[in-house]
Amino acid sequence: IIHRNISHNIQARYSRINAENTAFLATLSTNIADSPRNHNMTNVSYPDGRCIRETTDNTEKVVSPWLDLYWRSSLSKQQTIVANASGAYTHTDYGYQFASDNDTYGYSTLGKTWSLRSEAIYENRLKPFTLSAGVRYYQKYINNDYSGDATFVSQIHSSNLHAFMQIKGFLGKMGYMAGVALNREYYHQGDASYDKLWLRPTLNLSLPVTQRVRLNYTITSAPAPSRLQNMSNMAIVTNEMEYAVGNQNLIMARRDDHTLSLSYQSPRLYNQLMVFYRHNAHPAMQHIYRTDDNRFANTYREGRRIDLLMVQNYTSYDIIPAHLNAYLSPELLHIINDGQDYSHRLTSFNFKLGLTAWLGNWTLMATMDNGFHFMESEYEAHNIFSSYLSASYRVKRLTASLFCQNPFQQNGKVEKVINHNRFANKNTVIRNRDTSCAIGIKLTWTLSKGRQFKGV
């Protein structure tokens, strides 16, 4: 992997806060990014003994201006209204080249995206509960013009309207939050479209078992839209044997989440045990079929379910208060993937641990991660073991840091991906020299002038 990238971010912000607790913020930002080269070389081995080298070269230029407006006002001591609106435009010039021992393929994409997001929330702190109500609207338009070996114009219109009402308060010692929302999802591309209403209930219960122990339970139900790239009506070659095919007729699935957590907190120790269960009913899932030219088309169709059960524990302990802290986070995952014509199961164990020391102006940090192991549809992904060491020294507003990522590794693995499809079983190992025994220096200088206010 060879990757070059340069980016610039320019931001201007205006804020006004008066004595009546009315706040107005305006932020204008522009992001300019240029990736002149993103080179990937893959050695492919086939069961019949053939070995082929495949290379992909990507170039991308992105310009994205963005405007955000925020307003908050107190109508009375008990009533508050908050409004926010943001608009963005993204211009992308993307180039893709694929080459192997037997084939070459390339195309360019000129992409334009407009998006608008706005919301307003009203809150009334009544007795014995607080009432909140609001509405949120989001609209997005995508226009991608393909040229080269893929000649096509893809236009996608999508919007979301979300209206909600909720109350929160206490029943004895137990805190609660109960709400209901109405969600309208709209999507249009070519001859395909859908317009659907969803009911979204939410319930949160919180109970202090003792002064230091708290029990919490949350249930939410919400629509789970498919990724727009899976819904594009394009067919693009990805390598010598495969190409990706969009499915503009994908429908939206429903996702139900349950979270149960038990936490303990003392002056030096914090521990949380969490059980999380997610049920995706009829989600968009990978579907592969063989074509007439003896290739494999990778698309997405409605599956049966994707279920996830996660048991996680997080422990943070101040070995020396204000000077030395350690944390450990083990996690057990069990994932069920049932597509149209396949079923896959995965059970994995993940962990993270870290140590941070504050010694005057010095800050020392070490972290370790065995790599997140996950599965969705038929793709099993395993991020490889990683570690990170850093030392920083602060003098007034200047901070100098020296860090090392993945010491004692050379051309280390970054990720391992297995496609368990019975027609196109594939094992991919990704390596990156840039993250192997990488040593870097970072300098940060904070500039600040003017009156300071508490953030809204």
Side-chain angles (χ1 to χ4, degrees), residues 228-244:
L228 290 180
Q229 58 264 36
N230 297 335
M231 302 176 71
S232 172
N233 48 2
M234 280 290 297
I236 298 177
V237 173
T238 54
N239 56 51
E240 189 177 81
M241 297 295 296
E242 299 174 282
Y243 59 91

Side-chain angles (χ1 to χ4, degrees), residues 178-209:
V180 63
L182 189 64
N183 207 83
R184 176 183 179 264
E185 294 283 348
Y186 173 79
Y187 162 82
H188 174 76
Q189 179 185 197
D191 298 329
S193 65
Y194 65 72
D195 191 344
K196 194 169 182 179
L197 290 174
W198 296 82
L199 192 65
R200 298 182 54 176
T202 301
L203 176 65
N204 175 264
L205 302 174
S206 180
L207 178 65
V209 181

Side-chain angles (χ1 to χ4, degrees), residues 71-141:
W71 176 75
R72 186 195 68 191
S73 180
S74 297
L75 305 179
S76 66
K77 292 183 178 180
Q78 292 81 27
Q79 301 180 79
T80 304
I81 186 169
V82 176
N84 177 246
S86 61
Y89 168 75
T90 302
H91 180 94
T92 305
D93 189 355
Y94 177 79
Y96 175 83
Q97 287 289 332
F98 168 82
S100 69
D101 296 339
N102 304 320
D103 196 10
T104 59
Y105 178 85
Y107 66 91
S108 298
T109 307
L110 185 62
K112 300 177 182 179
T113 301
W114 294 264
S115 64
L116 172 66
R117 186 188 302 270
S118 60
E119 65 179 340
I121 300 174
Y122 167 79
E123 182 178 275
N124 194 341
R125 292 174 289 279
L126 301 168
K127 293 181 180 180
F129 57 79
T130 297
L131 170 68
S132 299
V135 61
R136 181 179 66 222
Y137 179 73
Y138 176 67
Q139 180 170 317
K140 191 173 187 178
Y141 171 66

Side-chain angles (χ1 to χ4, degrees), residues 343-389:
S343 293
H344 299 294
R345 306 288 188 269
L346 174 69
T347 301
S348 68
F349 175 76
N350 312 300
F351 75 86
K352 298 179 181 179
L353 59 90
L355 193 66
T356 304
W358 298 274
L359 307 173
N361 291 339
W362 286 93
T363 301
L364 308 177
M365 184 175 65
T367 62
M368 188 179 299
D369 189 335
N370 77 324
F372 192 61
H373 193 181
F374 190 76
M375 187 175 193
E376 182 175 338
S377 290
E378 296 190 286
Y379 285 101
E380 178 185 355
H382 192 179
N383 297 327
I384 309 302
F385 178 91
S386 64
S387 57
Y388 183 85
L389 303 171

Side-chain angles (χ1 to χ4, degrees), residues 7 11 42 60 82-83 94 157 230 286 294 312 319 331:
S7 62
Q11 184 179 100
T42 307
E60 185 175 35
V82 176
Y94 177 79
H157 298 256
N230 297 335
Q286 175 186 253
N294 205 31
Q312 182 187 69
I319 302 172
E331 178 182 88

